[in-house]
Amino acid sequence: MSISISVQAGTFDVGVEYAGLREGNVADGATAIFVGSVRDFNLDQSVAQLELEHYPGMTEKVLEDIAGRAQQRWQLGRVRLVHRVGPLLPGDDIVFVGACAPHRQAALDACAYMIDFLKTEAPFWKKEYGRDGVRWVDAREGDREALKKW
Amino acid sequence: MSISISVQAGTFDVGVEYAGLREGNVADGATAIFVGSVRDFNLDQSVAQLELEHYPGMTEKVLEDIAGRAQQRWQLGRVRLVHRVGPLLPGDDIVFVGACAPHRQAALDACAYMIDFLKTEAPFWKKEYGRDGVRWVDAREGDREALKKW
Amino acid sequence: MIRVLFFAGLREQLGCADVSVPAGSGTTLAGLRAQLGERDATWQRALADENVQMALNRQMAKSDSIVRDGDEVAFFPPVTGG
Amino acid sequence: MIRVLFFAGLREQLGCADVSVPAGSGTTLAGLRAQLGERDATWQRALADENVQMALNRQMAKSDSIVRDGDEVAFFPPVTGG
């Protein structure tokens, strides 16, 4: 039932994050993980670099709130959210969402729920430095749509 | 669009498996992973050890078939399935399901789909060595139910 | 000949991991299963269990599948992997 | 005083990351937003964008939320993390 949140400039190691979710944890048979990475293109503009801005203080609060709601909705064990900020390159990992649970459906649903709400509630903004210039990434209508299933 | 399957006695390393899904892969922004581990109890019988039997030859074929169906249904990049066989202890990882995709919903859905079908189609059988003796684990009705959503 | 494999709890019940039986003409999986059940009361009871599943040449198969010379058949309890 | 923060594209449009404004009595977020829009045409246009979202004390908030002395308010475009 523990929640762990990190907002950090440095990268994260999926193996280390997984180990943190599992160590000494024999009650939870299921772990679901989602990792988001920088793609090399977004809506046809080739992306050379990304800059992730955030709202320090609010970011952590929103992530804890999302994780807390997931824990109220499903029977979960450990939950871990990591989000990077600052400059990122194509292929770099941006976000880690991990949830342990006694049963797989809870872990999988909670993982999908948390990334869906993170995408629309957590105060992060992506700026793309591409071949065709610099631009702020537009919010996707599909991200709002995705919330309807919860 | 590649599928990689392993059925093995040794453990797997989630960090290494993740790296294999991601290396040189900048087209897929999303990776979903499910890992199943041995719980220390199952239906109230404390479990000291587990033995996983399988049907060599058929196992690999079924896993490839499940991964192939997922790739037909969703737009996926790399897919990786690892399943252990032989003796296992509480806390040990049993199964790794990983899927990359350009978009998160495809990766998350494919991951859930593959573990759901693996649970009902792949010829593995668990034998529990517990405080109260040895027994073959019964199939869960819920696992059949879970297929209805696909 | 048809190679027949048994797995997990069913293998233990029968005390047998595999047998080879002559290929009859036009035998179905159901026919083969009935034929194996005639061995003795233990085989009869074990193979009569409606939960027992069947594979033909390493693919899940149904009772009316035709079994041919050289085929590999398997009987086993519902799977419990993952 | 009320501290007001701006983020991402909105911050760049305004050329301003934060301002402090005196707390009026009974001001709502909508009222504060209208008041800030009176600064000049750029602020007017930027803050009139209906996509602009608001947070009050680091929680997403609606236009009718009451803003009090010492509060922290933020305006920003729809979020695009993850």
Side-chain angles (χ1 to χ4, degrees):
Chain A
M1 280 289 291
S2 76
I3 291 173
S4 170
I5 307 285
S6 296
V7 178
Q8 61 190 48
T11 191
F12 52 83
D13 181 309
V14 170
V16 170
E17 296 303 337
Y18 178 71
L21 286 167
R22 296 304 321 170
E23 197 179 359
N25 183 359
V26 287
D28 294 322
T31 305
I33 292 170
F34 176 82
V35 183
S37 313
V38 184
R39 296 168 65 188
D40 61 351
F41 63 95
N42 188 10
L43 302 174
D44 298 333
Q45 181 186 356
S46 181
V47 174
Q49 198 187 320
L50 211 65
E51 176 85 25
L52 255 151
E53 180 172 330
H54 75 126
Y55 180 175
M58 177 166 169
T59 319
E60 295 79 356
K61 200 169 168 176
V62 171
L63 295 182
E64 287 194 21
D65 182 56
I66 292 169
R69 274 149 47 200
Q71 284 198 326
Q72 291 203 319
R73 186 156 170 168
W74 291 280
Q75 193 196 338
L76 300 179
R78 295 179 199 163
V79 171
R80 172 78 168 141
L81 299 177
V82 186
H83 203 295
R84 293 180 66 191
V85 293
L88 294 167
L89 297 172
D92 279 1
D93 292 336
I94 305 175
V95 61
F96 177 96
V97 177
C100 295
H103 298 290
R104 75 180 182 284
Q105 199 59 52
L108 288 163
D109 285 348
C111 187
Y113 173 95
M114 289 191 287
I115 185 65
D116 275 355
F117 279 94
L118 186 153
K119 283 266 179 186
T120 54
E121 293 185 355
F124 294 101
W125 299 274
K126 286 195 189 95
K127 194 179 194 174
E128 288 181 353
Y129 296 78
R131 224 168 25 200
D132 309 327
V134 181
R135 67 165 183 200
W136 289 96
V137 173
D138 281 331
R140 289 178 60 231
E141 181 55 35
D143 287 336
R144 287 246 144 244
E145 281 296 311
L147 301 187
K148 291 186 180 164
K149 65 177 172 293
W150 303 115
Chain B
M1 278 289 291
S2 75
I3 291 172
S4 169
I5 308 286
S6 296
V7 178
Q8 62 190 46
T11 192
F12 53 83
D13 181 309
V14 170
V16 170
E17 296 302 338
Y18 178 71
L21 285 167
R22 296 303 323 171
E23 198 178 358
N25 183 359
V26 287
D28 295 323
T31 304
I33 292 170
F34 176 82
V35 183
S37 313
V38 184
R39 296 168 64 187
D40 63 350
F41 63 93
N42 188 11
L43 303 174
D44 298 333
Q45 182 185 354
S46 179
V47 174
Q49 198 188 319
L50 211 65
E51 176 87 25
L52 254 151
E53 179 172 331
H54 76 126
Y55 179 175
M58 179 167 168
T59 318
E60 294 80 354
K61 201 169 167 174
V62 171
L63 295 182
E64 287 194 20
D65 182 57
I66 291 169
R69 275 152 43 202
Q71 283 198 327
Q72 291 202 320
R73 187 157 170 167
W74 291 280
Q75 193 196 338
L76 301 179
R78 295 179 200 163
V79 171
R80 172 79 169 139
L81 299 177
V82 185
H83 203 295
R84 294 180 65 190
V85 292
L88 294 167
L89 298 172
D92 278 1
D93 293 334
I94 305 175
V95 61
F96 177 97
V97 176
C100 295
H103 297 291
R104 75 179 182 283
Q105 199 58 52
L108 289 162
D109 285 348
C111 186
Y113 173 96
M114 290 191 287
I115 186 63
D116 275 356
F117 280 95
L118 187 154
K119 283 264 180 188
T120 55
E121 293 185 356
F124 295 100
W125 299 274
K126 286 196 189 94
K127 195 177 193 176
E128 288 180 352
Y129 295 78
R131 222 167 29 199
D132 308 328
V134 181
R135 69 165 181 197
W136 290 95
V137 173
D138 282 330
R140 289 177 60 230
E141 181 54 35
D143 287 335
R144 288 247 143 243
E145 282 296 311
L147 300 187
K148 290 185 182 166
K149 66 175 170 294
W150 303 116
Chain C
M1 297 294 277
I2 294 161
R3 189 163 179 234
V4 186
L5 309 175
F6 305 101
F7 289 98
L10 183 61
R11 173 175 46 72
E12 291 186 348
Q13 271 182 281
L14 301 178
C16 174
D18 62 298
V19 293
S20 285
V21 298
S25 61
T27 311
T28 61
L29 275 180
L32 176 64
R33 186 164 163 173
Q35 182 193 321
L36 290 165
E38 287 164 11
R39 296 202 159 196
D40 67 26
T42 301
W43 285 60
Q44 182 77 56
R45 198 174 50 245
L47 290 168
D49 183 342
E50 61 182 12
N51 288 318
V52 166
Q53 301 188 338
M54 295 165 288
L56 177 58
N57 297 324
R58 305 182 173 183
Q59 279 197 303
M60 291 290 192
K62 296 198 170 157
S63 295
D64 60 358
S65 307
I66 304 296
V67 187
R68 294 186 176 78
D69 193 33
D71 279 351
E72 180 177 296
V73 170
F75 295 95
F76 44 77
V79 304
T80 56
Chain D
M1 298 294 279
I2 295 161
R3 188 162 180 234
V4 185
L5 308 175
F6 305 101
F7 290 98
L10 183 61
R11 173 176 46 71
E12 291 185 350
Q13 271 181 277
L14 302 179
C16 174
D18 62 298
V19 293
S20 284
V21 297
S25 62
T27 310
T28 60
L29 276 181
L32 177 63
R33 187 163 162 173
Q35 182 192 320
L36 290 165
E38 288 164 11
R39 295 203 161 196
D40 67 26
T42 300
W43 285 62
Q44 181 78 55
R45 198 172 49 245
L47 290 168
D49 184 345
E50 63 182 10
N51 289 317
V52 166
Q53 302 188 339
M54 295 164 288
L56 177 59
N57 297 324
R58 305 181 174 183
Q59 280 197 304
M60 290 290 192
K62 296 197 171 158
S63 295
D64 59 358
S65 307
I66 303 296
V67 187
R68 294 186 176 80
D69 193 34
D71 280 350
E72 180 177 295
V73 170
F75 295 95
F76 44 76
V79 304
T80 57

